[in-house]
Structures are given as C-alpha cells and as structure tokens.
Amino acid sequence: MKPRQLTAKILTGFLKFKAKRPTPLFASYNVTGRCNMRCVFCEWWKTDTPELPTKKAMAAIDAVCNLSVPFFDLSGGEPLLRRDLTTLAKRAASHGCLVSMNTNGALLNESRVSEVADVFDLVVVSLDGPKRVHDKIRGVEGTYDKAVEAIKLLKSRRVRVGVNSVVTPWNITILPQFIEELRSQVDFVQVQPIHPYPPPAENTPSEKAVSQLLDYLLRLKRSNPGFLAVPTDFIKGFEAFFRGEAPKICHAGELYVAIDPSGKLLACPARSDIVLADAVSGSVGDVLKEKRDSEGWRKVSSCRGCWLECTVGVSMVLENPLKEASQLISLWTSRKD
Ligand SMILES: C[S@@+](CC[C@H](N)C(=O)[O-])C[C@H]1O[C@@H](n2cnc3c(N)ncnc32)[C@H](O)[C@@H]1O
C-alpha cells in the first residue's frame, strides 16, 4: 500500500511542479528546540523555543501531510529528546509519507531502537569526522562513539541509515578518508556546507581544500552514485558557495516547507524566521496557494539563498528529474524488507 501511495504522491507533486502549481514534496518538522549537543555551527541549543504538546503536534502534522507531502522528516533540536517521537512519526506515516529522522544518535540505545525501527523508513545520523574532530565540533565528548553505536543498532534492525556531514574548515581535509571508511558502515552519505550563507571568513576553508574535496566527491559520485545521496550539481556548487557566489535556487513554500517546534509553518527548513502561517490553526493549503503579499513571502524573496540538501538538493532533483531523481528516489523509497 505505502509504496504505491508514495509513488502517486511523488508523481502528482512532480506534475504540479511542472504545471507551475507546486505543492510541497518535502516537509521537515523540528519537533523540539532542545538539544543535548553544543555544536559550534548550530543555533538551536542557544534558543529556547516552546514546543507543542502531542495532540497539537499531531494536528500540525495532519495539516501539512494533508497537502499530500511524500517525504516527511522529523528533526530538531534533537528529536529523540521527545518521548512521543514515535507517536508523531506514526501519525506522519499514517498519511502514506516516507518518514525519516535526523539525529545525533546519542539517545538511541537498545531500549529505544525497536520502536524507532518500527516506524522510521530512514534515519540520518550526523557525523562530521572521526572521533577527535566530531566530538570537538559537537562540543560533547563521547558523541562520536554513541553515534557509531546508534548506526550499528539501526543497521541490526535493518533500517536504512545515512550519515550527514557538514563541510567546515575543521574537517574538510579529512572528509575524503572519513567518507571512505563509512562505505562499509552505512547505506549513504550526504554532505552540505556549513551555513549561514554567504559564509563569514571563519567558516570558509581554503580554495585548495574545497577543490580537493570536490575532486574526491565527484569521483565518488561517478563510481558509486547511490552512496553519495546528493545531486552532482549540488556538489559542484560548493566552490561558488564558499566564494559567496552561489546562485539562488529556491522553492521555499513551494517544494518544501517546515514546521517549527511551536507549530509555526515556515517557508523552508533553512530559515526559522520566515513564518507563513500557524500550522495548527491556520489553513496551510490556502497560505501556500495564494502567496499573499505577507512579511513571510517578502522575506522569501529577499533571502540570499542557501545550499542545503533539503532545499537546493530537492529543487535540483525536481528541476532535472531525468538526471538523478530516480536514483535518489529509489534510495529513499527502497524499504528494508
Ligand atoms: C539541526 S540538526 C538537528 C538534528 C540532530 N540534532 C542532529 O544533530 O542531526 C540537523 C542537521 O543540520 C546540520 N547543521 C546544523 N547546523 C548547521 C549549519 N550551520 N550548517 C550546515 N548544517 C548544519 C547538523 O549537523 C545536522 O546534520
């Protein structure tokens, strides 16, 4: 039932995009702002955003899933800090979505892995390098070991597992070797450059380091396209991103939306300040269709853009479906059983 429903949603979404009546294909719900890490590049743990209780969180999920979204991601903050996480994931799954999670993995132990494996189609664990590098970036010692343990537990329950690595000046030279080592451990890897955009000087690696990483990633993409789960053009764009010259490729509020911990509907997962509506009480579908002259939509227009897999990556797949979409979609949709 689910694969057929999912394929229908993807096809309908694609046709609507082509007919210039886009509906979101990807939604991300940051279920909590709380986090157990202190990552150097992340703002979430520094802010105190209230979160919705279970019933209202389910109403927000219903409102967005009713738009026929095929891919629904639960993130945060750290999503596993919510005890009702799998209840929320089941709600999204009941709409026929493919349900994924982004996690640092630290809270995924023996007692929790079964409930996670039962509902999540895909889990992406954050790993930015080997132990010394990763723990330093995450700000908490022991994080690397816990993330690796989480990956093993998930794999033992036959969940599809990927790794997301953020490309920074602190890990760029060791990423190729690190990614090589991951090949035997996970199903796929994603890479994305450190944000914000345009990057401040302290976030900018040397041009030589960027060029060497790109050489490696493009070779990997050619030899094992399914393992590096981002479009080729997305990788090629890293050089322009770090020079502050990336083109704006944006379908915020069209191909992707997000829900923040307090239930606000955001135009995209990249900007927590671009609010379009209240996902719990507002009419989400109308807000997206009408594209009113609101502050939120004005902010979408004036945004300088970003280079994230969940925004630009999705746009690239949809704009150029023959090139890589089938590969990426089959990666996302091929279930463990
Ligand atoms: C915000 S985290 C939330 C989920 C979970 N706590 C985790 O660490 O995976 C989602 C992803 O965004 C990445 N991320 C956080 N801050 C970032 C930044 N400034 N630039 C690029 N990626 C970032 C994280 O490394 C992680 O892979």
Side-chain angles (χ1 to χ4, degrees):
M1 162 76 169
K2 195 163 167 178
R4 209 177 301 159
Q5 211 176 348
L6 196 65
T7 309
K9 282 184 187 210
I10 295 169
L11 271 178
T12 311
F14 174 68
L15 294 174
K16 284 190 167 174
F17 176 65
K18 283 287 162 202
K20 304 216 179 318
R21 289 186 293 111
T23 55
L25 277 135
F26 177 81
S28 169
Y29 180 12
N30 293 318
V31 292
T32 181
R34 291 176 288 137
C35 197
N36 48 348
M37 295 294 137
R38 297 290 176 262
C39 303
V40 286
F41 44 53
C42 189
E43 295 300 313
W44 278 106
W45 58 269
K46 298 175 195 160
T47 52
D48 186 18
T49 319
E51 65 197 45
L52 295 174
T54 310
K55 250 188 161 171
K56 285 194 172 170
M58 293 209 281
I61 291 171
D62 289 346
V64 169
C65 287
N66 281 337
L67 303 170
S68 270
V69 173
F71 300 106
F72 196 92
D73 186 60
L74 294 142
S75 186
E78 174 48 46
L80 284 161
L81 280 167
R82 274 193 79 135
R83 297 304 312 177
D84 60 356
L85 181 70
T86 50
T87 306
L88 303 183
K90 276 182 198 150
R91 187 66 163 222
S94 73
H95 288 268
C97 307
L98 184 139
V99 184
S100 61
M101 158 164 62
N102 256 252
T103 176
N104 58 47
L107 299 170
L108 200 73
N109 49 26
E110 274 288 351
S111 67
R112 211 131 177 231
V113 69
S114 295
E115 56 162 356
V116 165
D118 279 348
V119 60
F120 283 96
D121 297 292
L122 201 71
V123 175
V124 178
V125 178
S126 292
L127 267 183
D128 298 321
K131 188 178 170 67
R132 178 183 50 82
V133 176
H134 183 71
D135 284 3
K136 191 143 190 239
I137 289 175
R138 297 274 143 179
V140 181
E141 242 178 76
T143 308
Y144 173 88
D145 290 339
K146 287 183 180 158
V148 169
E149 188 53 32
I151 290 171
K152 284 187 190 149
L153 283 171
L154 289 163
K155 292 298 300 168
S156 73
R157 301 297 197 286
R158 305 185 64 222
V159 180
R160 287 188 76 76
V161 183
V163 157
N164 184 51
S165 297
V166 181
V167 179
T168 71
W170 317 294
N171 66 357
I172 191 160
T173 54
I174 47 93
L175 272 179
Q177 192 191 332
F178 179 65
I179 293 171
E180 281 304 297
E181 284 160 15
L182 288 173
R183 280 169 85 152
S184 57
Q185 296 169 45
V186 291
D187 298 296
F188 63 94
V189 295
Q190 299 171 333
V191 281
Q192 61 187 25
I194 182 172
H195 278 60
Y197 179 77
E202 67 272 20
N203 285 1
T204 308
S206 71
E207 278 188 25
K208 187 175 169 211
V210 176
S211 152
Q212 284 175 344
L213 177 68
L214 254 59
D215 280 352
Y216 164 73
L217 292 175
L218 291 172
R219 255 184 289 122
L220 175 61
K221 188 71 189 167
R222 277 194 298 273
S223 64
N224 196 345
F227 183 69
L228 186 53
V230 288
T232 307
D233 289 341
F234 181 78
I235 301 162
K236 288 183 178 165
F238 281 25
E239 273 175 331
F241 175 91
F242 281 120
R243 281 200 306 267
E245 294 168 6
K248 180 173 173 182
I249 299 174
C250 176
H251 294 94
E254 295 180 339
L255 289 180
Y256 25 85
V257 290
I259 310 169
D260 87 350
S262 68
K264 290 182 192 124
L265 179 78
L266 306 176
C268 73
R271 291 272 306 262
S272 54
D273 62 321
I274 305 191
V275 177
L276 298 180
D278 184 324
V280 184
S281 58
S283 48
V284 166
D286 291 346
V287 170
L288 296 183
K289 247 186 261 152
E290 287 168 21
K291 275 204 156 196
R292 276 189 291 256
D293 187 25
S294 68
E295 196 195 335
W297 286 111
R298 274 194 296 277
K299 279 188 179 171
V300 171
S301 303
S302 62
C303 176
R304 291 278 311 269
C306 64
W307 210 259
L308 295 168
E309 169 275 324
C310 59
T311 54
V312 173
V314 174
S315 291
M316 284 178 165
V317 168
L318 264 285
E319 280 184 342
N320 207 345
L322 289 179
K323 210 165 162 193
E324 279 162 318
S326 56
Q327 211 171 60
L328 288 171
I329 287 169
S330 75
L331 163 85
W332 278 71
T333 52
S334 56
R335 181 76 171 127
K336 51 203 166 187
D337 41 28

